[in-house]
Amino acid sequence: MIRTRNVLKSDPLRKQVYVVTLDGTLATGDNKLAIPIGGLDSQFGGEIESIYGHVKTAPTGATLTIQLANGSTDILSTVLTFAISGTTASSTAITPANKNVANGDIIDVDIDQVGSTQPGADLTLTLVVVAHGSQEG
């Protein structure tokens, strides 16, 4: 089951927080999840600040690795990596030229590796986007 929710946090930096989940045992492949971007000022857009991940079942035998893409363009300069037997991961390694997003963009989640002995399972990702410009009228 895939669940997506956008949680708008009202703070001085105008951060948008997008949370998506993928239930069950993970398998490799492109476009395993989609994170729809919305709620940004249409004139200014925003930029991806960070990505955080959690799995209920940790990968064993090998790491679990994830890449984000906007269209065919990879966003992370270093893939999001869950250590062997690890349940959390985070990254701020965003490729500068690829960090900008706008309303209507779809950020795809590509799972490149899931573990070799036991795949990771029950993935939750949190994407943090900082809005550009002024949203005041």
Side-chain angles (χ1 to χ4, degrees):
M1 170 191 250
I2 298 172
R3 292 176 286 181
T4 304
R5 66 182 181 265
N6 173 8
V7 180
L8 174 60
K9 291 198 153 209
S10 180
D11 68 18
L13 295 176
R14 296 178 326 281
K15 292 184 182 182
Q16 293 268 12
V17 178
Y18 303 87
V19 179
V20 294
T21 58
L22 181 58
D23 294 334
T25 302
L26 301 176
T28 60
D30 291 344
N31 306 317
K32 289 296 192 172
L33 282 170
I35 306 171
I37 301 298
L40 299 171
D41 185 301
S42 61
Q43 180 180 356
F44 299 106
E47 65 182 48
I48 297 171
E49 177 184 76
S50 55
I51 179 83
Y52 301 93
H54 176 265
V55 288
K56 287 184 182 174
T57 301
T60 60
T63 59
L64 164 62
T65 60
I66 293 174
Q67 177 60 266
L68 301 180
N70 191 348
S72 61
T73 304
D74 287 346
I75 294 172
L76 301 175
S77 56
T78 303
V79 294
L80 182 67
T81 301
F82 292 79
I84 296 170
S85 300
T87 58
T88 61
S90 64
S91 178
T92 57
I94 314 300
T95 303
N98 303 335
K99 67 182 176 180
N100 291 316
V101 293
N103 288 327
D105 283 353
I106 304 295
I107 305 303
D108 295 316
V109 177
D110 301 337
I111 301 176
D112 298 329
Q113 187 172 292
V114 294
S116 59
T117 306
Q118 169 68 45
D122 300 319
L123 173 68
T124 299
L125 293 175
T126 303
L127 182 70
V128 180
V129 175
V130 177
H132 287 164
S134 174
Q135 293 184 342
E136 298 176 15

